[in-house]
Amino acid sequence: MPNERVALYSRNSIDYAVSVFAIARAGAVSVPLNFNLGPDEVAYILEHAECSAILAEEQLVPVAIEAMKRADLVDDITLTVAFGDVPPRVDGTWVSFRDLADSAAAGLDDAVTSDVAFLMYTSGTESRPKGAVMTTGALLAQYVSMVVYGEMSSNDRELHVMPLYHAGQLHCFLLPDVYLGATNVLMDGTAPADIMQCVQEHRITKLWLPPTVWISMLRHPDFLRYDLSSIELAYYGASAMPVQVLRELLEVLPNARFFNCYGQTELGGVTTMLGPDDQFRKSGSCGLPTLHEETGIVDADGRHLGVGEVGEIVHRNPQATLGYWRDPERTEAVFRGGWFHSGDLGYLDSEGYLYLVDRVKDMIKTGGENVASREVEEVIFAHPAVAEAAVVGVADPRWIESVTAVVVTRPGFHLEAAELIDFCRSRLAGFKTPKAVYFVGELPKNASGKILKRELRDRYSGAPQ
């Protein structure tokens, strides 16, 4: 089945990890799917990627079957495999992954660097996801870059918590670890107590989590009861880590060296990294370009900007996608001028360190001024009663968009909206100060730990202030 697309629809498991190598060994292309997707969303990707096979965990097989029906692909998808020790009972055409692995044929050709290895579907801001075409060579360049800049070694014991369909966990940590011969522990789910128990039990030395999960661990009432002293390498990414939270983490995890990883799926996962020695010297920075990487800042016309000037962050590296599957228009648009256009706003300082100002779509335009949501969030996190926060722009008839904060308070703390607004006003310009604050039990997040700001904007549009 060389070059055929094989969908992977499962939570983290040994079978999932093994299947990635099995698909590559067969010369086929892995198409990881978010396990939270429903039948219509799965159907779209199966049809768009022109998949001829699907591997799914047993619990998700009914959703996969419904998706195949809705996409009218029941006859076109010729191989259906279920993870687990026994095949599912819902459909007699499904076979067990373990049985298939035991009967696998030998003598397959080795992959070459130009082979397409993955279609990584990204959600983006559009209504339909895009399939980033990743070659074996591009991903190997990414793995080497992570090993060098992430200070990785074969002695590492890493816990993999985030979903393997996510480029960060799969291509920046699990596969580089396998490349090195490190020890890997797979876990399904991000429950803070489960993570801490696993770290303690397996003496985990390396851990990558988005800031939202680091925060949920730090704020857990039993945090100090667990022995997390084995953690030596701690990575964060997917969103910004509030400086106050980082200070707290370093106090309670004194053996850990923290790294900030910034990048995108289309670029292999990580393009810049802020190392342990720069966490406070270059507070708020995404770091320096990693191995093989060129990073620049351009204006709306594609002209490169100077030190300190804010514009769109662009990249050029051998890890980059070949383009978007079956979408030449968007491929041409994102690679205009020979650089990959990230959609992020930022600037470079005099030493070449990258600072992310905001996503273009998250920049709040209020009363003729631009407000970076991250700047406001940093101030809110400095309040002792705040556990989590997200700042968004909500449509407003007077201001066009009003700066709006959505906050989760720490257990045992009480906080009024007026108090937090006054707190921000004493530290920010008036136009940056939230005009409304809403308190919630938890913030909406995707499976990768990113806060769903679009959902918050929709939820609070038209809400009384």
Tab-separated table of all heavy atoms in Angstrom, residues 96-137:
chain	number	residue	atom	x	y	z
A	96	SER	N	-8.358	-7.168	14.112
A	96	SER	CA	-7.559	-6.747	15.247
A	96	SER	C	-6.171	-6.310	14.788
A	96	SER	O	-5.528	-6.971	13.968
A	96	SER	CB	-7.430	-7.896	16.244
A	96	SER	OG	-6.372	-7.662	17.152
A	97	PHE	N	-5.701	-5.185	15.340
A	97	PHE	CA	-4.362	-4.697	15.016
A	97	PHE	C	-3.301	-5.718	15.419
A	97	PHE	O	-2.329	-5.933	14.702
A	97	PHE	CB	-4.115	-3.360	15.723
A	97	PHE	CG	-2.730	-2.812	15.517
A	97	PHE	CD1	-2.368	-2.246	14.304
A	97	PHE	CD2	-1.781	-2.862	16.531
A	97	PHE	CE1	-1.090	-1.741	14.099
A	97	PHE	CE2	-0.500	-2.358	16.349
A	97	PHE	CZ	-0.163	-1.789	15.125
A	98	ARG	N	-3.480	-6.339	16.571
A	98	ARG	CA	-2.492	-7.314	17.038
A	98	ARG	C	-2.406	-8.501	16.080
A	98	ARG	O	-1.325	-8.992	15.761
A	98	ARG	CB	-2.867	-7.792	18.450
A	98	ARG	CG	-2.994	-6.658	19.473
A	98	ARG	CD	-1.653	-6.089	19.877
A	98	ARG	NE	-1.794	-4.945	20.758
A	98	ARG	CZ	-1.934	-5.003	22.070
A	98	ARG	NH1	-1.978	-6.180	22.671
A	98	ARG	NH2	-2.033	-3.901	22.785
A	99	ASP	N	-3.574	-8.985	15.606
A	99	ASP	CA	-3.568	-10.099	14.659
A	99	ASP	C	-2.907	-9.689	13.346
A	99	ASP	O	-2.142	-10.466	12.749
A	99	ASP	CB	-4.996	-10.570	14.384
A	99	ASP	CG	-5.625	-11.247	15.591
A	99	ASP	OD1	-4.873	-11.646	16.500
A	99	ASP	OD2	-6.871	-11.359	15.621
A	100	LEU	N	-3.201	-8.476	12.912
A	100	LEU	CA	-2.614	-7.985	11.661
A	100	LEU	C	-1.101	-7.850	11.795
A	100	LEU	O	-0.345	-8.213	10.884
A	100	LEU	CB	-3.236	-6.639	11.290
A	100	LEU	CG	-2.825	-6.051	9.933
A	100	LEU	CD1	-3.350	-6.912	8.791
A	100	LEU	CD2	-3.343	-4.622	9.797
A	101	ALA	N	-0.643	-7.349	12.945
A	101	ALA	CA	0.799	-7.181	13.168
A	101	ALA	C	1.518	-8.522	13.168
A	101	ALA	O	2.624	-8.653	12.632
A	101	ALA	CB	1.033	-6.448	14.487
A	102	ASP	N	0.883	-9.533	13.754
A	102	ASP	CA	1.507	-10.856	13.813
A	102	ASP	C	1.674	-11.476	12.433
A	102	ASP	O	2.568	-12.301	12.206
A	102	ASP	CB	0.680	-11.789	14.698
A	102	ASP	CG	0.760	-11.407	16.169
A	102	ASP	OD1	1.712	-10.685	16.531
A	102	ASP	OD2	-0.126	-11.817	16.935
A	103	SER	N	0.800	-11.077	11.502
A	103	SER	CA	0.839	-11.679	10.162
A	103	SER	C	1.486	-10.767	9.128
A	103	SER	O	1.390	-11.021	7.931
A	103	SER	CB	-0.585	-12.018	9.709
A	103	SER	OG	-1.373	-10.833	9.614
A	104	ALA	N	2.135	-9.688	9.585
A	104	ALA	CA	2.689	-8.698	8.655
A	104	ALA	C	3.769	-9.312	7.784
A	104	ALA	O	4.573	-10.129	8.231
A	104	ALA	CB	3.252	-7.518	9.435
A	105	ALA	N	3.800	-8.873	6.548
A	105	ALA	CA	4.798	-9.378	5.599
A	105	ALA	C	6.135	-8.682	5.801
A	105	ALA	O	6.206	-7.524	6.211
A	105	ALA	CB	4.304	-9.156	4.171
A	106	ALA	N	7.209	-9.391	5.518
A	106	ALA	CA	8.554	-8.822	5.591
A	106	ALA	C	8.999	-8.397	4.195
A	106	ALA	O	8.297	-8.592	3.211
A	106	ALA	CB	9.516	-9.847	6.179
A	107	GLY	N	10.203	-7.822	4.125
A	107	GLY	CA	10.784	-7.505	2.826
A	107	GLY	C	10.293	-6.220	2.207
A	107	GLY	O	10.381	-6.029	1.002
A	108	LEU	N	9.765	-5.272	3.010
A	108	LEU	CA	9.292	-4.005	2.479
A	108	LEU	C	10.464	-3.083	2.212
A	108	LEU	O	11.520	-3.177	2.834
A	108	LEU	CB	8.326	-3.353	3.470
A	108	LEU	CG	7.034	-4.145	3.756
A	108	LEU	CD1	6.292	-3.523	4.918
A	108	LEU	CD2	6.154	-4.194	2.526
A	109	ASP	N	10.279	-2.159	1.276
A	109	ASP	CA	11.345	-1.218	0.936
A	109	ASP	C	11.528	-0.186	2.043
A	109	ASP	O	10.570	0.200	2.727
A	109	ASP	CB	11.005	-0.491	-0.374
A	109	ASP	CG	11.006	-1.436	-1.565
A	109	ASP	OD1	11.722	-2.452	-1.506
A	109	ASP	OD2	10.282	-1.157	-2.540
A	110	ASP	N	12.778	0.294	2.214
A	110	ASP	CA	13.042	1.348	3.191
A	110	ASP	C	12.508	2.675	2.662
A	110	ASP	O	12.483	2.943	1.456
A	110	ASP	CB	14.543	1.480	3.445
A	110	ASP	CG	15.099	0.283	4.216
A	110	ASP	OD1	14.320	-0.346	4.936
A	110	ASP	OD2	16.304	0.007	4.082
A	111	ALA	N	12.099	3.542	3.607
A	111	ALA	CA	11.628	4.872	3.235
A	111	ALA	C	12.808	5.735	2.802
A	111	ALA	O	13.945	5.525	3.228
A	111	ALA	CB	10.912	5.519	4.419
A	112	VAL	N	12.548	6.702	1.949
A	112	VAL	CA	13.559	7.681	1.562
A	112	VAL	C	13.074	9.050	2.017
A	112	VAL	O	11.887	9.270	2.272
A	112	VAL	CB	13.819	7.673	0.039
A	112	VAL	CG1	14.392	6.339	-0.401
A	112	VAL	CG2	12.543	7.966	-0.738
A	113	THR	N	14.012	9.998	2.129
A	113	THR	CA	13.690	11.280	2.748
A	113	THR	C	12.640	12.073	1.981
A	113	THR	O	11.958	12.908	2.561
A	113	THR	CB	14.951	12.136	2.893
A	113	THR	OG1	15.574	12.291	1.608
A	113	THR	CG2	15.937	11.476	3.856
A	114	SER	N	12.502	11.816	0.685
A	114	SER	CA	11.521	12.572	-0.097
A	114	SER	C	10.112	11.998	0.005
A	114	SER	O	9.160	12.607	-0.484
A	114	SER	CB	11.953	12.622	-1.566
A	114	SER	OG	12.046	11.300	-2.099
A	115	ASP	N	9.974	10.832	0.628
A	115	ASP	CA	8.649	10.219	0.754
A	115	ASP	C	7.753	11.063	1.648
A	115	ASP	O	8.178	11.591	2.684
A	115	ASP	CB	8.759	8.822	1.384
A	115	ASP	CG	9.338	7.789	0.425
A	115	ASP	OD1	9.401	8.071	-0.780
A	115	ASP	OD2	9.728	6.705	0.903
A	116	VAL	N	6.481	11.166	1.258
A	116	VAL	CA	5.495	11.780	2.143
A	116	VAL	C	5.181	10.779	3.247
A	116	VAL	O	4.824	9.629	2.982
A	116	VAL	CB	4.219	12.164	1.375
A	116	VAL	CG1	3.143	12.672	2.343
A	116	VAL	CG2	4.527	13.235	0.326
A	117	ALA	N	5.309	11.209	4.508
A	117	ALA	CA	5.121	10.319	5.647
A	117	ALA	C	3.837	10.609	6.416
A	117	ALA	O	3.233	9.697	6.980
A	117	ALA	CB	6.304	10.420	6.597
A	118	PHE	N	3.428	11.884	6.454
A	118	PHE	CA	2.260	12.274	7.246
A	118	PHE	C	1.444	13.332	6.520
A	118	PHE	O	1.998	14.194	5.834
A	118	PHE	CB	2.681	12.870	8.596
A	118	PHE	CG	3.087	11.856	9.627
A	118	PHE	CD1	4.382	11.353	9.636
A	118	PHE	CD2	2.192	11.421	10.594
A	118	PHE	CE1	4.774	10.427	10.589
A	118	PHE	CE2	2.579	10.495	11.544
A	118	PHE	CZ	3.859	9.991	11.546
A	119	LEU	N	0.134	13.265	6.698
A	119	LEU	CA	-0.752	14.402	6.461
A	119	LEU	C	-1.228	14.837	7.835
A	119	LEU	O	-1.986	14.116	8.499
A	119	LEU	CB	-1.951	14.026	5.590
A	119	LEU	CG	-1.739	13.763	4.106
A	119	LEU	CD1	-3.077	13.569	3.410
A	119	LEU	CD2	-0.989	14.911	3.454
A	120	MET	N	-0.765	15.996	8.289
A	120	MET	CA	-1.132	16.502	9.613
A	120	MET	C	-2.216	17.567	9.440
A	120	MET	O	-1.940	18.666	8.934
A	120	MET	CB	0.088	17.093	10.314
A	120	MET	CG	1.245	16.128	10.529
A	120	MET	SD	0.873	14.762	11.652
A	120	MET	CE	0.653	15.631	13.205
A	121	TYR	N	-3.442	17.229	9.833
A	121	TYR	CA	-4.551	18.168	9.662
A	121	TYR	C	-4.572	19.174	10.804
A	121	TYR	O	-4.546	18.812	11.976
A	121	TYR	CB	-5.875	17.419	9.551
A	121	TYR	CG	-6.128	16.979	8.131
A	121	TYR	CD1	-5.530	15.833	7.620
A	121	TYR	CD2	-6.909	17.745	7.268
A	121	TYR	CE1	-5.720	15.445	6.303
A	121	TYR	CE2	-7.106	17.369	5.945
A	121	TYR	CZ	-6.508	16.218	5.468
A	121	TYR	OH	-6.695	15.848	4.157
A	122	THR	N	-4.592	20.440	10.427
A	122	THR	CA	-4.601	21.532	11.400
A	122	THR	C	-5.958	22.203	11.378
A	122	THR	O	-6.561	22.371	10.317
A	122	THR	CB	-3.510	22.563	11.071
A	122	THR	OG1	-3.817	23.183	9.814
A	122	THR	CG2	-2.147	21.898	10.980
A	123	SER	N	-6.412	22.600	12.559
A	123	SER	CA	-7.747	23.202	12.645
A	123	SER	C	-7.749	24.625	12.132
A	123	SER	O	-8.622	25.027	11.385
A	123	SER	CB	-8.255	23.151	14.089
A	123	SER	OG	-7.327	23.785	14.948
A	124	GLY	N	-6.732	25.417	12.550
A	124	GLY	CA	-6.659	26.796	12.093
A	124	GLY	C	-7.896	27.584	12.468
A	124	GLY	O	-8.636	27.250	13.394
A	125	THR	N	-8.149	28.671	11.739
A	125	THR	CA	-9.313	29.509	12.009
A	125	THR	C	-10.409	29.293	10.975
A	125	THR	O	-11.488	29.827	11.097
A	125	THR	CB	-8.909	30.993	11.985
A	125	THR	OG1	-8.347	31.309	10.706
A	125	THR	CG2	-7.864	31.284	13.046
A	126	GLU	N	-10.107	28.521	9.935
A	126	GLU	CA	-11.096	28.288	8.898
A	126	GLU	C	-12.077	27.215	9.342
A	126	GLU	O	-11.859	26.486	10.296
A	126	GLU	CB	-10.406	27.851	7.593
A	126	GLU	CG	-9.543	28.929	6.957
A	126	GLU	CD	-8.142	28.984	7.532
A	126	GLU	OE1	-7.838	28.167	8.414
A	126	GLU	OE2	-7.373	29.848	7.107
A	127	SER	N	-13.178	27.134	8.613
A	127	SER	CA	-14.212	26.171	8.985
A	127	SER	C	-13.770	24.741	8.685
A	127	SER	O	-14.262	23.803	9.305
A	127	SER	CB	-15.509	26.486	8.241
A	127	SER	OG	-15.298	26.439	6.830
A	128	ARG	N	-12.866	24.555	7.740
A	128	ARG	CA	-12.403	23.226	7.392
A	128	ARG	C	-10.906	23.096	7.681
A	128	ARG	O	-10.135	24.021	7.403
A	128	ARG	CB	-12.650	22.937	5.906
A	128	ARG	CG	-14.110	22.784	5.528
A	128	ARG	CD	-14.730	21.562	6.195
A	128	ARG	NE	-16.033	21.231	5.619
A	128	ARG	CZ	-16.805	20.233	6.041
A	128	ARG	NH1	-16.404	19.490	7.057
A	128	ARG	NH2	-17.962	19.988	5.478
A	129	PRO	N	-10.458	21.968	8.226
A	129	PRO	CA	-9.030	21.792	8.508
A	129	PRO	C	-8.212	21.639	7.230
A	129	PRO	O	-8.741	21.267	6.173
A	129	PRO	CB	-8.993	20.509	9.339
A	129	PRO	CG	-10.227	19.762	8.959
A	129	PRO	CD	-11.265	20.815	8.655
A	130	LYS	N	-6.922	21.925	7.343
A	130	LYS	CA	-5.996	21.824	6.226
A	130	LYS	C	-5.045	20.669	6.485
A	130	LYS	O	-4.590	20.468	7.615
A	130	LYS	CB	-5.201	23.121	6.064
A	130	LYS	CG	-6.045	24.377	6.028
A	130	LYS	CD	-5.197	25.626	5.872
A	130	LYS	CE	-4.311	25.917	7.085
A	130	LYS	NZ	-5.076	26.345	8.261
A	131	GLY	N	-4.685	19.931	5.434
A	131	GLY	CA	-3.780	18.799	5.567
A	131	GLY	C	-2.358	19.183	5.183
A	131	GLY	O	-2.047	19.335	3.995
A	132	ALA	N	-1.487	19.340	6.171
A	132	ALA	CA	-0.092	19.697	5.906
A	132	ALA	C	0.685	18.450	5.480
A	132	ALA	O	0.717	17.450	6.196
A	132	ALA	CB	0.544	20.308	7.149
A	133	VAL	N	1.308	18.501	4.317
A	133	VAL	CA	2.046	17.370	3.753
A	133	VAL	C	3.466	17.380	4.301
A	133	VAL	O	4.256	18.301	4.035
A	133	VAL	CB	2.071	17.449	2.214
A	133	VAL	CG1	2.829	16.268	1.624
A	133	VAL	CG2	0.646	17.520	1.654
A	134	MET	N	3.824	16.340	5.081
A	134	MET	CA	5.137	16.283	5.731
A	134	MET	C	5.930	15.098	5.189
A	134	MET	O	5.441	13.971	5.168
A	134	MET	CB	4.981	16.140	7.242
A	134	MET	CG	4.078	17.176	7.900
A	134	MET	SD	4.592	18.895	7.652
A	134	MET	CE	6.196	18.902	8.454
A	135	THR	N	7.174	15.354	4.777
A	135	THR	CA	8.023	14.283	4.252
A	135	THR	C	8.876	13.675	5.365
A	135	THR	O	9.076	14.268	6.430
A	135	THR	CB	8.963	14.800	3.155
A	135	THR	OG1	9.884	15.729	3.748
A	135	THR	CG2	8.181	15.465	2.033
A	136	THR	N	9.427	12.503	5.078
A	136	THR	CA	10.334	11.846	6.017
A	136	THR	C	11.542	12.733	6.310
A	136	THR	O	11.958	12.891	7.467
A	136	THR	CB	10.807	10.500	5.446
A	136	THR	OG1	9.668	9.652	5.267
A	136	THR	CG2	11.804	9.822	6.361
A	137	GLY	N	12.109	13.340	5.284
A	137	GLY	CA	13.281	14.197	5.471
A	137	GLY	C	12.989	15.408	6.328
A	137	GLY	O	13.799	15.794	7.179
